[in-house]
Amino acid sequence: MEKTDVRKASQDAQYRMRMQIVKLRQRGMRHSEIADIAGVHANYACMVYRRHERGGLAGIAKGRRGRRVGEQKLPFALWTRKAVQELIRLRHGTRMPIRTVGEVVEGGISRHILPRKE
């Protein structure tokens, strides 16, 4: 059977798929068998069942999707160097020059330059 990209399915379809995986696993089927029946990868079937074991139905419930613009409570919609500089200042209390921020964003600095949160 061809594998389904579950990420592209609606939330309802994803939830039904997760419930099917859980029910089949509870009947004693192996993850590889479930994957063949559901049309997903065995690793996905295993992950779904593990989530169900840890959190019950809440572990496989529908969740929020998409980007979370504004959750950082910053006045920026895009991650510009200025936005990253402000985020670093708010989270770490460190004022970083805009040029250094640019190098961090581009990946030009390989070492950790921010203090760790404790």
Side-chain angles (χ1 to χ4, degrees), residues 85-104:
Q85 181 185 41
E86 182 66 12
L87 181 64
I88 290 169
R89 187 187 66 74
L90 290 173
R91 284 199 177 169
H92 300 281
T94 303
R95 293 194 58 78
M96 185 179 288
I98 198 77
R99 182 173 176 175
T100 306
V101 172
E103 290 174 358
V104 170

Side-chain angles (χ1 to χ4, degrees), residues 27-76:
R27 291 183 189 159
M29 297 184 81
R30 294 187 338 244
H31 293 297
S32 58
E33 294 170 327
I34 295 169
D36 289 339
I37 291 170
V40 296
H41 197 277
N43 290 345
Y44 179 73
C46 182
M47 179 208 50
V48 167
Y49 192 70
R50 252 191 261 128
R51 276 199 206 156
H52 180 265
E53 283 181 316
R54 290 181 188 143
L57 291 178
I60 61 170
K62 300 176 198 175
R64 291 176 48 193
R65 297 172 80 173
R67 296 179 189 252
R68 311 297 192 276
V69 175
E71 285 190 352
Q72 299 293 336
K73 294 186 172 82
L74 296 172
F76 310 100

Side-chain angles (χ1 to χ4, degrees), residues 3-49:
K3 304 294 182 208
T4 305
D5 187 355
V6 183
R7 297 171 298 180
K8 294 182 181 179
S10 70
Q11 283 195 347
D12 289 331
Q14 287 178 354
Y15 184 71
R16 285 191 304 272
M17 175 81 63
R18 292 182 199 124
M19 287 301 298
Q20 179 186 23
I21 289 169
V22 169
K23 288 176 183 176
L24 292 172
R25 182 68 178 146
Q26 288 174 340
R27 291 183 189 159
M29 297 184 81
R30 294 187 338 244
H31 293 297
S32 58
E33 294 170 327
I34 295 169
D36 289 339
I37 291 170
V40 296
H41 197 277
N43 290 345
Y44 179 73
C46 182
M47 179 208 50
V48 167
Y49 192 70

